Amino acid sequence: MPLTKYFFNRIWASIFVLFGVSVLIFLIARAIPGDPARMALGPRASTEMVEQLRERLHLNDSIPVQYYHFLRGVTEGDLGMSLYTKRPVVQDLAEYFPATFELVFFAGLIMVIVGIPLGILSARHQDRLTDNVARIIALLGVVTPTFVWAIFFMLIFAYVFDILPVMGRLGETVEPPPHITGMYVFDSILAGQWHTCKDALLHMIMPAAALALSGLGQAARLTRTNMLESFGRPYTEMARAYNFTEVQTSMKYALRPAMIPTLTILGLDFAVMLGNAFLVEEVFAWGGLAQYCVSAIFYKDLNGIVGTVLVISMFFLLVNMVIDLVVAYLNPRIRLG
Amino acid sequence: MRYIIRLLLVAVVFILPATSAQAERVLRLNEVAVGELDPHKALDYIDSILLVNIYDPLVRPKPGGGFLPGLAESWEVSSDNLAITFKLQAGIHFHDGSTVNADDVVYSFDRNKALGMGYAFLFANSSIAKKSDMEVVLTLNNPDSTILAGLTRLGIVNSDLVKANHQDGDFGDNGDYGSAFLSAQGAGSGAYKVDSHNMQELTVLSKFDDHYGGFLPKSPDTIRVIYVMETATIRTLMSNKEHEITAQWHPGTMFAGLAAEDGLGLTTEDGIAYLVMPIHSAKAPTDDVHVRRAMIAATDYAQMVAIEKVTEDLTAANRSRTALPAALAGYDASAPEFTQDLEAAKAHLAKSKYADNIGDYEVEIAWIAEVPKEEKIAFLLAHNLSQIGMKAKVVKVPWAVYSDRVTQLETTPHVGQLYFSATYPDPLSLLGAYHSRVRGSYTSHDWMSDAEVDRLIDAATAEMDEAKKNDLLVQLQRRLIDVGAAIYAYETRALFAKQDYVKAPFLDDPTNTVAMMGGNWRFNTWEVDN
Amino acid sequence: MPTNFFKTRNWYRFSRNPLSITGAVIVIVVVFLAVFAPYVTPYPDHSGAALDFANMNNPPDSKNFFGTDGMGRDVFTRVIYGYRVSLLLGIVVLSLAVPIGVGLGLIAGYYGGRVEIVLMRITDVFLAIPALVLAMAIMGFLEPTLINAMLAVSVMWWPWTTRLVYNLTRSIKTEDYVVASKVVGASDSHIILFEILPNCLPTILTKMTLDMGFVILVAASLSFLGLGVQPPTPDLASMVADGSQYLPDQWWLSVFPGIAILIVVLGFNLLGDGLRDMLDVEM
């Protein structure tokens, strides 16, 4: 199937998925216990105030009618007012998405450039010391909750040694770079402010590393398993027989197919981190989307929940589409469909 | 000259590496996200702190009760108690330099009522009108002794500035009533103005030199509020001297750890909050007043207080003696401290209609998942109840579920937990919650309907004479204990860790405490002496 | 298992690596401790709502070698009891979610076309909704019991396996031996079950043993949301999560349960690797 047609089909399907997600999340958000108006107005608000707000939010209408109001808003680029921040959801998303995306981007980078080589190393030295050490490192990453890594890093590098900034995205005396993407590292590069860029990167190290560790462990483990798998395959044996060097064999014939499961999981992880980064964001005072999403859930902020989930879904579909393409590239015999 | 120095300072800060010493006086604090900047949506502790610093009210609370002039230099109550005329101080400026006048007051009052958020419920029975450029008249439907206390929470906004920033919205001609604008920027006349605001991350305020109230010589120039509650983060910042004062919501063990470090100390805000455990009065077996009295007598108050022990010298709770915390007007200081008395408890139980079969009932004690120390309190009470032969079940409930369950009589637990504090400086801020009219919410879920309690609340609300009002309030407190509305476990002492060089009036002398949430955090009365 | 198993090449391969043996020993010991918790712990009643104000927050000593918690309970006892809930949760969830996920992934990947579109887009919908939101909503309908928590986690879990197996299947079905058996006339079910599935197994096994760790950890967020096991019943992940607010001063509250999770997941992964190596030899 030609690539353009594949894209067309995939985007078409994505719209349906998004529609499905929006209906589902719309219902789910309303199934979460608690009266949103009461939660927003605080414990002392009078019944009249609560009723007035419910009316303004169309909460007294039936769910299909509420969904109609929501869809009408979407066509105008309006996702409604957040009951958590008490301002438009679109404004919240625009402010918080770049912060989290930047964090997730660097975490993803660490996963790939550390996790995959670790797995290769493990596979090539199977059952030897290198393998065992690499496996233990990978497992440590997997079994320790992300926020424990976050706290652990903070205690080591900020409390005991005081070499990395404790929290935030920039130092107190550093002005944020001009707003282009909302991501400080990229904005400061675009503006040529190297001092700011360095500061932003320093602030990035601990949260990104903490966030990356569990995915890094998975990537290493899956790479190891699948490379060992490929080593035993006829084509790898063949390559060996043809006197390809060991490195060539591992890279070209073992690594390529072995990457398929690793990339699949990394793709999922990458998207899921957008929502799962909240504890890391909390520890490092990183005002981001993940924290916003969790708070929205706790405040039963209906519009906030729907808005963040839609953004995460869109990102997720995009990443998965790319991963499916890469998988097809790694094994050209796969038919895209 | 001042500006040149500022400019130089800014330049120096830019040249020096990020670790250099602060040339300005900075006060850094942390709180729970989100920080609500809009004065008419402000609800919680941090919202209140922002409110009292960025905005000025008509009247301010006075330590020990009563009111001080704010934007209003004087006020006069009509003989029928149904109208109050406020005369505004001349020459007070907003942060943009324009003058505060009657239009701003009227606009702010109407805006708060129309939005229906924050503390709008305090103004439900009143309206406001402009009398002259510098005078407004507040009209009440019924006499209301809490109205001045309510007005301490009404921030006056710059109406011209906000109107210029109205966007489309639900409020007819007023569009969104400036909601988008005021959630991101300040438009007040308060001692500090907003430099930047990210409600999940950081709010930066700086001194408004023109403020009518003035500053102390060492008042902070810059306030930085970070929205982080992670214990390890705050612990690290405090130890590194990168933080001046903590929030009060951290676990006691963190405070104990910080207290042991050099240059750091613990401090408390006393007498404006307490732990109330409302008892369900409409569900078996606690629908019998004798059972409720038995539970109140069985509670081990000394041990409850001991749970809050932080260090050898400091316990973050005081024994309570009545249905009010000590810093509020009308506090019944003559009442004896609550004490455990198992014999009396058993005697009460023997008088109840459940005397023979109390063991058949299971009393549900709820604790809120987000507040871990409530678990200990719940299990302690369960233990106390078992000492008089009652059975109890402890359940953990997340806040969202709890606030939902207490709206229905059937789903409300037998015993709840409520850290209740005076949000506006009037005892009815707390005691008003017992009126049978307002049942079924987080602050009121004992499901009590007692005609005498209702009568005393109504009478105290209508009573403008302070002494007579306090007398009614004392009667009310006694009645509440007599009908067994709740277990008043202890008075909380809000605990903060701070650097020794931070000074604030209420921290040094408890008699300076005002009984209003955030009211003690006016930073122009604080000093940062480093 | 053949009677002469211990003489087979498989067993040789398994036993040659000390790590595989270590893994097996760890799993056996931990399961033993969990099952016999009342007999091996010093204070069995501390697994419940015991309150001991005299011994609150004691650091590790000879009496309580993992220290005591904020209610004066022995952390060692609670860690061993915590294994019960955590292991049960992990095993039940994986035995529910993995077969469903593998089945759907095989079908979608093998048949392609419309089947693939429908199955994979449904999977996308489930993957796209954050697990926490899903759990919160499930909580709206269900009582907070361990069984319901298991159901909730399983609902969150299967799409991951589906996507993994789907992408593997798409690749494997292009291999020569699969194409060959199709040409020879093997039925679809034969190809799926005997050609493709065995080739997916090592990856599935690796992912499953990793997931053991993730499932145990997810219990912490569920417990925080009020779903799943309720206090005073201990589970390891909640102990880590709740204890972490007392770092660095009361480090024993979170560090020991954390190490306990580490040990058991390590055990399962080493065991899984050993089994994987055995499978490898068979093919």
Side-chain angles (χ1 to χ4, degrees):
Chain A
M1 192 188 300
L3 207 59
T4 44
K5 194 169 171 212
Y6 170 75
F7 263 121
F8 180 75
N9 278 350
R10 228 8 225 277
I11 287 167
W12 201 212
S14 296
I15 290 172
F16 274 98
V17 172
L18 275 181
F19 182 76
V21 169
S22 78
V23 172
L24 207 58
I25 192 63
F26 204 79
L27 292 174
I28 285 177
R30 278 154 183 78
I32 297 174
D35 176 354
R38 165 70 61 192
M39 302 279 290
L41 292 176
R44 293 153 199 263
S46 65
T47 324
E48 295 81 57
M49 277 167 70
V50 175
E51 205 40 48
Q52 194 189 339
L53 185 62
R54 286 185 63 87
E55 202 54 50
R56 246 170 60 207
L57 297 171
H58 307 295
L59 286 177
N60 292 331
D61 296 333
S62 68
I63 287 184
V65 174
Q66 291 185 40
Y67 189 74
Y68 163 76
H69 283 293
F70 164 76
L71 275 188
R72 222 181 50 179
V74 171
T75 56
E76 292 161 11
D78 176 14
L79 291 169
M81 187 185 81
S82 159
L83 291 176
Y84 166 58
T85 61
K86 313 209 172 46
R87 57 180 193 173
V89 171
V90 177
Q91 195 184 341
D92 288 335
L93 295 177
E95 185 168 335
Y96 298 133
F97 179 74
T100 300
F101 180 77
E102 187 175 35
L103 181 61
V104 169
F105 175 82
F106 280 97
L109 208 64
I110 297 175
M111 278 183 198
V112 174
I113 60 179
V114 181
I116 295 175
L118 203 64
I120 298 174
L121 212 63
S122 239
R124 292 210 36 216
H125 302 271
Q126 192 192 2
D127 290 346
R128 272 178 275 159
L129 183 68
T130 325
D131 179 29
N132 292 345
V133 171
R135 280 159 78 188
I136 299 221
I137 293 177
L139 281 181
L140 270 175
V142 173
V143 299
T144 314
T146 308
F147 69 93
V148 173
W149 281 121
I151 294 174
F152 182 70
F153 285 159
M154 168 169 299
L155 292 175
I156 300 272
F157 297 110
Y159 183 73
V160 181
F161 292 113
D162 198 10
I163 43 177
L164 285 173
V166 184
M167 47 128 246
R169 294 172 66 196
L170 282 179
E172 279 178 28
T173 51
V174 181
E175 285 284 314
H179 186 99
I180 303 165
T181 59
M183 293 179 272
Y184 288 169
V185 173
F186 299 109
D187 283 357
S188 55
I189 291 174
L190 290 175
Q193 298 173 352
W194 305 113
H195 178 71
T196 313
C197 177
K198 185 184 138 207
D199 193 57
L201 280 173
L202 277 178
H203 280 82
M204 182 69 73
I205 295 175
M206 285 200 287
L211 197 55
L213 274 167
S214 92
L216 185 158
Q218 286 211 72
R221 302 272 302 132
L222 286 170
T223 307
R224 175 186 184 271
T225 301
N226 288 288
M227 278 192 74
L228 291 179
E229 182 74 353
S230 308
F231 279 149
R233 283 287 161 73
Y235 47 75
T236 334
E237 302 286 344
M238 195 105 81
R240 283 212 182 95
Y242 277 113
N243 266 338
F244 280 102
T245 63
E246 195 58 28
V247 175
Q248 271 176 321
T249 314
S250 10
M251 286 308 148
K252 193 153 180 188
Y253 293 94
L255 184 59
R256 265 174 79 141
M259 284 321 325
I260 291 174
T262 311
L263 284 177
T264 308
I265 290 299
L266 275 181
L268 294 181
D269 241 357
F270 196 54
V272 163
M273 272 197 297
L274 273 187
N276 281 359
F278 67 96
L279 287 167
V280 172
E281 290 185 358
E282 166 71 32
V283 172
F284 293 103
W286 200 277
L289 189 74
Q291 240 192 89
Y292 176 75
C293 178
V294 172
S295 306
I297 296 172
F298 276 101
Y299 280 76
K300 204 178 171 187
D301 173 6
L302 299 176
N303 294 330
I305 297 173
V306 174
T308 36
V309 169
L310 284 181
V311 167
I312 293 176
S313 315
M314 262 190 262
F315 184 72
F316 177 86
L317 291 172
L318 196 72
V319 172
N320 267 356
M321 204 188 320
V322 173
I323 295 288
D324 283 350
L325 271 179
V326 175
V327 167
Y329 163 80
L330 289 175
N331 183 346
R333 283 189 285 186
I334 290 181
R335 286 187 335 165
L336 289 170
Chain B
M1 189 58 200
R2 196 170 206 146
Y3 283 112
I4 296 172
I5 293 173
R6 269 265 165 89
L7 219 63
L8 281 175
L9 282 179
V10 171
V12 167
V13 163
F14 264 108
I15 293 159
L16 290 177
T19 49
S20 78
Q22 296 289 326
E24 290 185 306
R25 295 185 190 281
V26 187
L27 182 81
R28 289 161 290 195
L29 60 143
N30 65 302
E31 257 294 341
V32 183
V34 298
E36 178 59 66
L37 211 50
D38 191 324
H40 305 139
K41 296 178 182 173
L43 269 179
D44 296 331
Y45 209 86
I46 180 57
D47 307 347
S48 307
I49 292 176
L50 294 173
L51 171 75
V52 299
N53 284 291
I54 301 166
Y55 295 93
D56 286 318
L58 285 173
V59 292
R60 285 203 293 108
K62 193 158 86 182
F67 300 94
L68 296 167
L71 294 177
E73 62 179 21
S74 63
W75 56 95
E76 202 176 312
V77 184
S78 68
S79 56
D80 61 358
N81 291 329
L82 290 176
I84 309 174
T85 308
F86 294 91
K87 190 167 183 303
L88 302 183
Q89 272 194 60
I92 294 184
H93 298 292
F94 285 115
H95 297 155
D96 69 352
S98 58
T99 314
V100 179
N101 62 33
D103 291 325
D104 299 312
V105 178
V106 173
Y107 177 83
S108 302
F109 189 90
D110 291 344
R111 180 175 187 273
N112 200 355
K113 275 190 81 165
L115 290 180
M117 298 177 108
Y119 288 78
F121 59 92
L122 293 171
F123 312 121
N125 294 313
S126 52
S127 59
I128 206 163
K130 175 180 174 179
K131 191 174 168 194
S132 72
D133 257 3
M134 298 305 279
E135 278 176 307
V136 292
V137 183
L138 183 89
T139 317
L140 296 153
N141 298 341
N142 311 300
D144 183 354
S145 67
T146 68
I147 191 73
L148 284 177
L151 285 174
T152 62
R153 293 201 62 100
L154 180 73
I156 305 302
V157 301
N158 184 340
S159 60
D160 294 332
L161 182 60
V162 179
K163 278 180 190 160
N165 288 288
H166 278 180
Q167 291 172 12
D168 290 344
D170 299 333
F171 299 97
D173 290 344
N174 287 306
D176 72 341
Y177 243 129
S179 281
F181 178 70
L182 283 179
S183 73
Q185 275 149 85
S189 59
Y192 289 86
K193 52 185 198 284
V194 182
D195 283 359
S196 75
H197 177 65
N198 177 337
M199 62 199 334
Q200 273 202 119
E201 196 174 318
L202 170 73
T203 303
V204 184
L205 309 180
S206 67
K207 217 164 154 179
F208 173 52
D209 291 315
D210 225 5
H211 186 247
Y212 76 93
F215 294 85
L216 296 175
K218 289 168 181 168
S219 289
D221 298 299
T222 308
I223 311 291
R224 297 176 66 92
V225 186
I226 52 169
Y227 299 103
V228 198
M229 284 305 301
E230 189 60 42
T231 302
T233 314
I234 298 306
R235 183 79 213 268
T236 306
L237 288 170
M238 286 297 281
S239 293
N240 293 359
K241 302 268 183 286
E242 292 173 46
H243 200 64
E244 272 69 38
I245 185 162
T246 68
Q248 56 174 306
W249 324 105
H250 295 284
T253 50
M254 179 190 104
F255 289 114
L258 283 175
E261 297 199 14
D262 285 341
L264 296 174
L266 301 182
T267 184
T268 59
E269 186 181 44
D270 292 357
I272 66 172
Y274 55 170
L275 171 61
V276 183
M277 305 179 80
I279 309 177
H280 201 311
S281 62
K283 204 155 85 171
T286 50
D287 55 346
D288 187 322
V289 67
H290 299 292
V291 175
R292 299 199 295 274
R293 285 177 187 155
M295 290 165 72
I296 292 170
T299 306
D300 186 350
Y301 297 91
Q303 195 64 64
M304 289 271 174
V305 170
I307 288 177
E308 293 280 5
K309 182 175 153 186
V310 177
T311 64
E312 287 307 319
D313 323 313
L314 184 81
T315 300
N318 286 328
R319 293 288 286 272
S320 64
R321 42 179 94 234
T322 178
L324 263 189
L328 285 134
Y331 173 70
D332 183 8
S334 65
E337 269 179 5
F338 287 109
T339 323
Q340 185 184 36
D341 184 346
L342 291 175
E343 290 318 308
K346 283 175 189 157
H348 283 303
L349 206 53
K351 274 186 249 165
S352 82
K353 60 180 175 189
Y354 300 105
D356 303 327
N357 60 347
I358 192 72
D360 298 347
Y361 293 93
E362 200 174 48
V363 175
E364 191 184 30
I365 305 171
W367 64 279
I368 295 173
E370 284 85 346
V371 193
K373 70 178 167 197
E374 289 191 1
E375 183 182 15
K376 281 185 227 175
I377 289 160
F379 280 115
L380 177 59
L381 181 64
H383 171 69
N384 292 154
L385 294 185
S386 74
Q387 288 174 306
I388 57 167
M390 292 178 69
K391 270 208 293 201
K393 183 173 99 182
V394 172
V395 290
K396 172 187 179 184
V397 191
W399 160 243
V401 179
Y402 190 89
S403 65
D404 204 37
R405 280 185 61 179
V406 296
T407 58
Q408 301 292 326
L409 188 143
E410 297 77 26
T411 52
T412 304
H414 287 102
V415 184
Q417 295 191 45
L418 167 60
Y419 283 93
F420 206 11
S421 69
T423 49
Y424 56 99
D426 191 290
L428 288 165
S429 161
L430 299 166
L431 294 175
Y434 292 97
H435 202 290
S436 60
R437 189 177 53 221
V438 295
R439 295 184 310 180
S441 75
Y442 170 62
T443 53
S444 175
H445 52 268
D446 49 42
W447 301 97
M448 173 85 62
S449 51
D450 183 70
E452 177 65 5
V453 168
D454 288 359
R455 187 192 70 79
L456 286 166
I457 292 173
D458 290 337
T461 308
E463 182 55 65
M464 304 300 277
D465 181 88
E466 213 174 313
K468 285 183 190 159
K469 180 179 173 184
N470 289 348
D471 192 47
L472 287 164
L473 290 170
V474 168
Q475 288 181 47
L476 175 58
Q477 292 162 57
R478 291 184 181 155
R479 178 72 190 169
L480 284 170
I481 296 163
D482 189 46
V483 297
I487 298 166
Y488 297 97
Y490 55 75
E491 281 185 22
T492 48
R493 311 178 69 194
L495 185 60
F496 308 89
K498 66 168 186 69
Q499 306 288 350
D500 286 342
Y501 54 76
V502 175
K503 306 254 183 292
F506 79 96
L507 300 176
D508 303 330
D509 178 2
T511 59
N512 287 325
T513 306
V514 295
M516 169 196 174
M517 187 192 268
N520 296 306
W521 293 68
R522 291 165 55 240
F523 296 124
N524 58 334
T525 65
W526 287 41
E527 290 188 287
V528 180
D529 189 6
N530 59 346
Chain C
M1 192 180 292
T3 45
N4 60 346
F5 173 73
F6 291 101
K7 289 182 187 152
T8 59
R9 221 151 62 96
N10 288 345
W11 171 248
Y12 171 71
R13 187 86 174 81
F14 186 84
S15 61
R16 205 188 60 170
N17 188 338
L19 282 184
S20 310
I21 296 289
T22 316
V25 170
I26 290 176
V27 170
I28 292 166
V29 168
V30 168
V31 170
F32 176 85
L33 285 179
V35 171
F36 296 100
Y39 308 102
V40 297
T41 53
Y43 309 96
D45 58 318
H46 285 193
S47 62
L51 250 187
D52 182 358
F53 285 100
N55 287 310
M56 270 162 42
N57 293 322
N58 282 350
D61 56 22
S62 57
K63 215 168 115 237
N64 312 99
F65 31 93
F66 286 6
T68 61
D69 68 5
M71 290 173 65
R73 298 174 299 202
D74 179 42
V75 174
F76 176 73
T77 303
R78 293 182 65 76
V79 165
I80 300 295
Y81 272 90
Y83 267 134
R84 289 185 154 190
V85 171
S86 297
L87 286 179
L88 197 64
L89 185 78
I91 291 167
V92 172
V93 165
L94 292 181
S95 42
L96 278 177
V98 171
I100 296 175
V102 170
L104 293 178
L106 283 172
I107 292 169
Y110 182 76
Y111 289 104
R114 233 164 253 177
V115 179
E116 174 193 320
I117 291 174
V118 172
L119 284 180
M120 291 320 292
R121 294 320 129 222
I122 292 176
T123 313
D124 279 350
V125 171
F126 273 89
L127 279 168
I129 295 176
L132 203 60
V133 181
L134 217 55
M136 199 71 178
I138 293 170
M139 203 183 84
F141 302 112
L142 301 177
E143 286 285 301
T145 61
L146 184 58
I147 300 206
N148 287 335
M150 289 169 180
L151 282 178
V153 182
S154 307
V155 169
M156 287 148 47
W157 226 264
W158 67 267
W160 284 72
T161 319
T162 305
R163 262 207 71 90
L164 183 70
V165 174
Y166 159 75
N167 266 345
L168 268 173
T169 309
R170 284 203 307 162
S171 178
I172 294 171
K173 81 169 177 190
T174 65
E175 300 272 347
D176 296 334
Y177 55 89
V178 179
V179 178
S181 46
K182 208 165 190 174
V183 171
V184 174
S187 69
D188 284 351
S189 55
H190 178 90
I191 296 174
I192 292 178
L193 290 178
F194 296 100
E195 304 290 346
I196 298 180
L197 181 60
N199 282 295
C200 295
L201 271 184
T203 311
I204 296 172
L205 203 62
T206 308
K207 176 71 180 138
M208 234 176 108
T209 50
L210 282 173
D211 277 356
M212 191 70 194
F214 288 124
V215 174
I216 289 177
L217 292 183
V218 97
S221 12
L222 285 181
S223 163
F224 186 69
L225 291 175
L227 191 71
V229 281
Q230 294 300 300
T233 311
D235 85 271
L236 293 174
S238 304
M239 288 174 80
V240 177
D242 297 344
S244 71
Q245 357 171 16
Y246 303 102
L247 285 170
D249 300 296
Q250 273 80 34
W251 53 271
W252 56 91
L253 296 180
S254 51
V255 168
F256 289 121
I259 293 175
I261 297 182
L262 177 65
I263 289 174
V264 70
V265 177
L266 194 70
F268 273 104
N269 275 275
L270 296 179
L271 183 65
D273 278 0
L275 293 176
R276 195 212 67 82
D277 291 345
M278 265 166 60
L279 288 174
D280 212 25
V281 171
E282 266 178 324
M283 283 181 308

